[in-house]
Amino acid sequence: MIAVTGATGHLGKLAVETLLNKGTKASEIIAVVRNKGKAQDLVSKGIAVREADYGNAESLTKALQGVEKLLFISGSEAGQRVPQHTNVINAAKKAGVKFVAYTSILKADTSKMILAKEHLVTENLIKDSGIHHAFLRNGWYIENYTEQFGNTLKSGVIAGAAQNGKISAATRSDYAAAIVAVIRNPPAKNATYELGGDAFTLTELAALTSKVSGKKIEYKDMPAPDYSKLLASFGVPQGFADILADSDEGIVRGDLYTTSDDLKKLIGRPLTSLEEAVKKAVQANS
Ligand SMILES: NC(=O)c1ccc[n+]([C@@H]2O[C@H](COP(=O)([O-])OP(=O)(O)OC[C@H]3O[C@@H](n4cnc5c(N)ncnc54)[C@H](OP(=O)(O)O)[C@@H]3O)[C@@H](O)[C@H]2O)c1
């Protein structure tokens, strides 16, 4: 049995779909979700849905009973994730899980980004648990930008504090393909994969978006505190706005840049290009 946490989230849904497309039977998948009401599509596919919250150790222990391989998708509640992820790992150990694939962040062991801290702690907890594991250190999602295209195309501006830093982003579906490859065929030994696509700067993203949309789109760079204020003015909670601004400072340092070809190797086909992703997002917003 393969359990997928966060199975009602963007990446989790794609991972479950990809597992099915690759030939894993629905009866071999357990979707671990915190709200069964959001998982009706999974139920209708014949997938067992078990409710568990990362904050509730007992629910996790029940949810992981009989699980052999765990695709552990990191939680989205930044700041809460060390106790939450500790619960997941303890539950995996109690349930006798044989292999854990954890979605971490690029360069988790050297990155100075705020977001990287909880991932590194989680990686170390998994190492200490003694469970056979793989760390899938995901770079940025291209969707972090393309999902904002409704506003981008109206305002003509991509704002940020990333200067000319390079971002090795890829689409969520490419990351999903990689993590599914690893969960279906775990590496013989514990492994760490640095996953990212072809790198671009935000100036290059703006130029490409201009070319594709036929509208003038500019990258407006600003100091990180100003970027955080701007995000907060759009309704992003201040704490998260600070984290996003800090991530842009990480981009300047190269924390989200990699030359690794682990992603391409794992999925065994070319990655979705930035241009393809931009075209799709421009069409969706036209
Ligand atoms: N690489 C990147 O650019 C990037 C960007 C954003 C996030 N991430 C990380 O990658 C993960 C997956 O990305 P995503 O786009 O799929 O994010 P997402 O759509 O927000 O999915 C997060 C999933 O985690 C579940 N979750 C959150 N808190 C939980 C809790 N306390 N107990 C149980 N489940 C909980 C959510 O449940 P619900 O469905 O009930 O909400 C959701 O299914 C994120 O959680 C985050 O750690 C990476």
Side-chain angles (χ1 to χ4, degrees):
M1 295 299 282
I2 298 176
V4 180
T5 68
T8 46
H10 292 92
L11 186 63
K13 267 181 187 233
L14 288 168
V16 171
E17 269 168 36
T18 312
L19 274 169
L20 293 171
N21 290 341
K22 288 286 172 189
T24 303
K25 293 188 191 120
S27 58
E28 292 166 350
I29 303 172
I30 294 170
V32 180
V33 307
R34 64 174 159 178
N35 177 358
K36 263 190 178 176
K38 281 181 73 181
Q40 288 318 306
D41 55 328
L42 298 172
V43 173
S44 66
K45 284 177 181 147
I47 291 167
V49 175
R50 296 185 185 170
E51 222 168 40
D53 193 294
Y54 291 151
N56 180 334
E58 205 182 319
S59 67
L60 289 162
T61 305
K62 274 192 198 149
L64 298 187
Q65 286 309 309
V67 170
E68 188 193 351
K69 297 192 276 188
L70 173 63
L71 174 43
F72 175 11
I73 295 188
S74 48
S76 48
E77 297 169 325
Q80 309 293 317
R81 292 185 290 187
V82 170
Q84 291 181 342
H85 290 179
T86 303
N87 288 337
V88 177
I89 298 152
N90 288 341
K93 200 153 184 193
K94 272 193 198 160
V97 169
K98 301 276 185 297
F99 175 67
V100 176
Y102 171 69
T103 62
S104 183
I105 194 168
L106 207 54
K107 302 179 176 175
D109 51 345
T110 56
S111 172
K112 297 280 181 286
M113 281 168 50
I114 293 171
L115 280 176
K117 287 183 192 154
E118 291 171 314
H119 287 293
L120 182 58
V121 173
T122 307
E123 286 191 2
N124 286 332
L125 287 166
I126 293 172
K127 278 184 194 163
D128 292 346
S129 76
I131 303 175
H132 176 205
H133 59 264
F135 298 143
L136 296 142
R137 291 182 170 169
N138 292 348
W140 242 203
Y141 301 148
I142 288 179
E143 288 88 343
N144 293 350
Y145 300 105
T146 54
E147 281 171 359
Q148 314 302 322
F149 269 19
N151 288 330
T152 306
L153 295 172
K154 268 186 219 142
S155 65
V157 172
I158 294 172
Q163 300 177 21
N164 271 323
K166 288 183 179 172
I167 306 161
S168 301
T171 60
R172 280 197 192 90
S173 54
D174 283 348
Y175 290 117
I179 62 186
V180 163
V182 168
I183 202 82
R184 280 172 55 85
N185 290 303
K189 290 187 179 159
N190 295 336
T192 298
Y193 302 97
E194 299 284 352
L195 304 180
D198 293 335
F200 57 87
T201 66
L202 292 184
T203 305
E204 287 164 352
L205 174 65
L208 179 62
T209 311
S210 293
K211 187 183 102 177
V212 169
S213 67
K215 293 182 183 164
K216 189 163 189 278
I217 311 287
E218 279 178 326
Y219 173 51
K220 189 171 176 202
D221 194 71
M222 57 190 78
D226 294 359
Y227 181 45
S228 175
K229 274 187 208 146
L230 180 73
L231 291 170
S233 77
F234 293 146
V236 177
Q238 188 62 63
F240 196 57
D242 288 344
I243 287 177
L244 292 177
D246 171 81
S247 300
D248 268 22
E249 290 184 302
I251 290 171
V252 177
R253 289 190 299 267
D255 288 348
L256 287 174
Y257 172 67
T258 181
T259 53
S260 159
D261 60 358
D262 286 351
L263 183 55
K264 274 179 212 158
K265 279 196 197 142
L266 281 175
I267 71 180
R269 59 162 170 79
L271 303 180
T272 309
S273 70
L274 181 65
E275 184 153 357
E276 281 171 77
V278 165
K279 277 184 181 157
K280 201 171 151 196
V282 167
Q283 269 167 13
N285 286 286
S286 300

